[in-house]
Amino acid sequence: MKILLTGGAGYIGSHTLIELVKAGHNVVVVDNFVNSQPEALRRVAKIIGHEVPFVEADIRDKEAMERLFTEYQFDAVINFAGLKAVGESVAKPLEYYENNMNGVFVLVDAMRRHGCKSIIFSSSATVYGDPAIIPITEDCPKGQCTNPYGWTKSMLEQVLMDVQKADPTWNVVLLRYFNPIGAHESGLIGENPNGIPNNLMPYITQTAVGIRKELGVFGDDYPTHDGTGVRDYIHVVDLARGHVAALKAIAENKGLAIYNLGTGHGYSVLDVVKAFENVNGLKVPYAIKPRRPGDIATCYCNPAKAKAELGWEAQFGIEEMCRDSWRFQKNNPNGYEL
């Protein structure tokens, strides 16, 4: 397939780019580098052996999207473009709503006008809020999101469902990610957050490499086996392969399809810290801090639907996630800054 990959220089986007090319798809990347680096695409080219067509643009730019869809005849779009820091979304709600919502509005309008009616949307387990059932299935009702970032995902899901309902010739695949960590086995690409990390693993690796003094563990009084929050961590390469598998739903013209992408196993914050220490032979200093508002105790999925319908399931365990995360950080102590 000819695929437009928006946000393709980002953490999940760059790993997905590799898997799409390996699977034989033709990919064009668009990114504005607000949350990513051009170096990521140079490193992807090194891994796959050739450069990938790239357009530097913001998907909110109507003229740029018009030029893009006029030049290329895309079969499908995989959309990763968007702001994604939970804490920042609480501080800057208007910026998050404007960026994430308008980006998809402009993108989907361009798709519609050029007859490209298949989209895989990067959604999130945050749409379940405090989940009604554990493990979470796709039938679990969506809940009250706890931050503007989560609401943009929830509302954009609804927008895309309404588009597909109004015109059933559309294929809309909503992929609800759990907690991606890890990095490519080459150590060339990985998670490279701007500023202070919002996610657990880059905070662990930055602490291990000496950038941070200690890891903050937010809450040790949750009703879990060790009091810390339990999440479904998934290797980013498994997640990337989930997008390749999701193209099957488009090829079969499923219309609307929703899938959880996770391992189905829950690990606590301290489970991850201990696994990281054991696998890499390191100590990670940490300090217990108060709970963060909006955090929930336990969140992991039942990924059976993706296996049954797409033939996809996670291949990597927590050890590989921790090993690959550390390899990238160790090889790139300052991320993509050379």
Side-chain angles (χ1 to χ4, degrees), residues 299-314:
C299 182
Y300 63 93
C301 79
N302 178 344
K305 185 181 178 187
K307 182 178 181 181
E309 296 188 10
L310 304 178
W312 174 90
E313 63 181 329

Side-chain angles (χ1 to χ4, degrees), residues 18-319:
I18 291 169
E19 298 304 319
L20 286 166
V21 171
K22 278 170 59 177
H25 298 288
N26 295 316
V27 187
V28 176
V29 171
V30 63
D31 205 302
N32 63 0
F33 298 126
V34 165
N35 271 333
S36 57
Q37 304 283 338
E39 178 64 20
L41 294 178
R42 287 192 281 271
R43 295 187 182 197
V44 167
K46 193 179 290 188
I47 292 167
I48 64 177
H50 60 85
E51 292 186 351
V52 171
F54 167 72
V55 176
E56 183 172 354
D58 189 313
I59 65 168
R60 293 173 296 171
D61 183 337
K62 292 183 180 181
E63 292 178 358
M65 291 303 100
E66 180 63 27
R67 287 194 299 270
L68 188 63
F69 279 87
T70 300
E71 183 175 354
Y72 298 99
Q73 299 298 310
F74 295 113
D75 298 308
V77 174
I78 301 178
N79 180 47
F80 292 112
L83 301 174
K84 65 181 182 68
V86 168
E88 185 182 60
S89 79
V90 175
K92 299 179 176 179
L94 190 58
E95 286 81 356
Y96 266 68
Y97 287 119
E98 191 280 325
N99 184 92
N100 292 6
M101 304 294 290
N102 277 347
V104 171
F105 295 161
V106 173
L107 176 67
V108 171
D109 184 46
M111 291 173 66
R112 178 174 60 178
R113 284 184 290 105
H114 289 270
C116 175
K117 294 185 176 181
S118 294
I119 185 168
I120 295 174
F121 179 65
S122 160
S123 192
S124 167
T126 57
V127 302
Y128 293 115
D130 194 346
I133 52 172
I134 298 284
I136 301 167
T137 67
E138 291 82 356
D139 294 326
C140 178
K142 287 166 69 170
Q144 288 291 313
C145 296
T146 55
N147 54 75
Y149 161 74
W151 278 119
T152 67
K153 292 297 187 186
S154 185
M155 289 191 289
L156 284 169
E157 280 196 3
Q158 189 62 50
V159 169
L160 292 170
M161 286 191 280
D162 288 344
V163 167
Q164 197 280 330
K165 186 177 181 181
D167 180 356
T169 63
W170 275 81
N171 288 299
V172 169
V173 183
L174 307 176
L175 298 182
R176 294 173 178 168
Y177 313 159
F178 282 70
N179 296 69
I181 59 176
H184 192 265
E185 63 181 2
S186 66
L188 288 172
I189 64 169
E191 191 165 8
N192 181 50
N194 292 332
I196 298 172
N198 290 283
N199 299 327
L200 175 62
M201 186 55 78
Y203 217 114
I204 289 175
T205 61
Q206 288 190 10
T207 302
V209 87
I211 295 173
R212 309 284 163 201
K213 186 180 116 185
E214 63 186 13
L215 167 71
V217 176
F218 298 99
D220 65 347
D221 58 348
Y222 286 103
T224 62
H225 65 274
D226 62 14
T228 64
V230 168
R231 298 292 182 270
D232 191 334
Y233 295 97
I234 177 173
H235 198 296
V236 66
V237 173
D238 277 329
L239 184 60
R241 290 171 180 166
H243 292 77
V244 179
L247 291 169
K248 182 182 177 192
I250 286 172
E252 294 175 353
N253 287 312
K254 278 192 177 290
L256 173 66
I258 302 171
Y259 301 101
N260 289 330
L261 293 185
T263 66
H265 301 288
Y267 296 98
S268 74
V269 173
L270 294 183
D271 287 338
V272 177
V273 171
K274 287 169 189 169
F276 184 90
E277 291 178 334
N278 291 338
V279 165
N280 298 308
L282 295 163
K283 292 301 288 182
V284 178
Y286 66 86
I288 304 297
K289 301 193 173 181
R291 291 187 186 191
R292 291 181 300 194
D295 275 356
I296 59 178
T298 302
C299 182
Y300 63 93
C301 79
N302 178 344
K305 185 181 178 187
K307 182 178 181 181
E309 296 188 10
L310 304 178
W312 174 90
E313 63 181 329
Q315 301 297 315
F316 299 111
I318 194 70
E319 292 79 14

